[in-house]
Amino acid sequence: MNIVLVGIQGCGKGTLVSGLSEHFEINLISMGQLLRDEIATNSELGKRIKSIVDKGELVSDDIVIDTLNNKLSTIKSGITVFDGFPRNLSQAEMLDNVTNVDLVIHLNLSKEVALDRILNRLTCSDCGYITKRQLVKDNICPKCNGQLVTRSDDTIDSINKRFKVYENETFPILERYSKRGVLVDINANRTPDEVLKDCLKVINEYND
């Protein structure tokens, strides 16, 4: 089963995937993390990606699809969850050429809540774990003891740019999958447990 997670930054996709992994064998394709991993290598491609991300823009489709194909080739079984891909209609068409999409979960979050969450989040520079600033001490990752940092693109200007890009490019994707009958809208303004409960119900229904 292939599931696409769609939602504005801060909607809790990472937290949801963590919860789902306790119930299913999850193969996560997190485009954001894959790109950050490349940035961490300090390769020429990583430097290109960092320059784009720091401006609050999205990387080109050719970079995204190459990274995606490399990841897909390693998957053998389980539920595959796409996080951060597709971001636009062009990428949705690319994904159709690679594999089928069985379910699209839209984590619907208000801009106000999203902004508050993003400005208060920390990300582990080693394992990618995401948490709230208020929940940790000394900025040490509770999972791997790595350093928790504020992502370089988590600034108000950059966030507002991403919001605008999201509205312009992602909304048409929702309409595309809605017409297919595979789109489910989930209220993401609630607690992670409430969101997880609804998503588990939806996944089990689509699996039957």
Side-chain angles (χ1 to χ4, degrees):
M1 182 180 192
N2 294 324
I3 300 174
V4 171
L5 293 184
V6 181
I8 201 168
Q9 290 206 358
C11 68
K13 293 194 295 291
T15 301
L16 174 60
V17 170
S18 179
L20 292 177
S21 65
E22 297 180 3
H23 299 267
F24 307 104
E25 177 188 354
I26 297 294
N27 301 303
L28 176 63
I29 296 183
S30 174
M31 190 54 62
Q33 187 59 47
L34 289 178
L35 295 175
R36 286 192 290 275
D37 288 344
E38 186 64 38
I39 291 174
T41 68
N42 204 34
S43 64
E44 288 304 314
L45 177 59
K47 291 176 181 177
R48 284 177 57 200
I49 295 172
K50 186 177 187 303
S51 176
I52 294 170
V53 170
D54 285 350
K55 295 176 183 177
E57 301 172 355
L58 299 178
V59 299
S60 62
D61 289 346
D62 60 331
I63 293 176
V64 170
I65 201 65
D66 285 345
T67 307
L68 175 64
N69 277 323
N70 288 338
K71 180 65 176 179
L72 284 174
S73 66
T74 68
I75 296 176
K76 305 302 179 183
S77 63
I79 294 178
T80 299
V81 176
F82 294 87
D83 174 8
F85 185 90
R87 290 186 183 276
N88 52 50
L89 287 177
S90 175
Q91 291 181 359
E93 293 172 359
M94 290 180 190
L95 184 58
D96 284 342
N97 292 329
V98 175
T99 188
N100 63 299
V101 174
D102 302 299
L103 173 64
V104 178
I105 296 177
H106 175 217
L107 297 178
N108 197 348
L109 184 72
S110 69
K111 287 185 180 179
E112 293 76 16
V113 175
L115 184 62
D116 179 71
R117 289 182 181 179
I118 294 172
L119 292 177
N120 285 285
R121 75 180 176 185
L122 294 172
T123 303
C124 179
S125 57
D126 292 333
C127 71
Y129 175 77
I130 299 175
T131 187
K132 293 181 180 179
R133 191 180 305 274
Q134 302 93 325
L135 299 180
V136 296
K137 294 182 179 180
D138 301 322
N139 289 353
I140 300 299
C141 177
K143 286 199 170 183
C144 73
N145 291 322
Q147 186 69 31
L148 293 171
V149 299
T150 299
R151 281 168 43 180
S152 58
D153 57 329
D154 280 353
T155 64
I156 292 180
D157 287 344
S158 181
I159 293 168
N160 283 330
K161 286 182 180 179
R162 296 203 297 272
F163 283 174
K164 187 171 183 178
V165 170
Y166 177 83
E167 292 174 350
N168 291 337
E169 297 197 348
T170 307
F171 282 4
I173 294 178
L174 300 180
E175 182 179 1
R176 174 191 178 93
Y177 288 125
S178 178
K179 289 179 179 178
R180 285 192 187 179
V182 296
L183 176 68
V184 175
D185 194 84
I186 300 292
N187 178 5
N189 292 295
R190 301 169 300 159
T191 68
D193 286 343
E194 290 173 319
V195 172
L196 174 61
K197 181 179 179 181
D198 279 359
C199 289
L200 286 173
K201 180 180 179 181
V202 168
I203 293 172
N204 287 325
E205 288 175 351
Y206 272 76
N207 256 333
D208 290 340

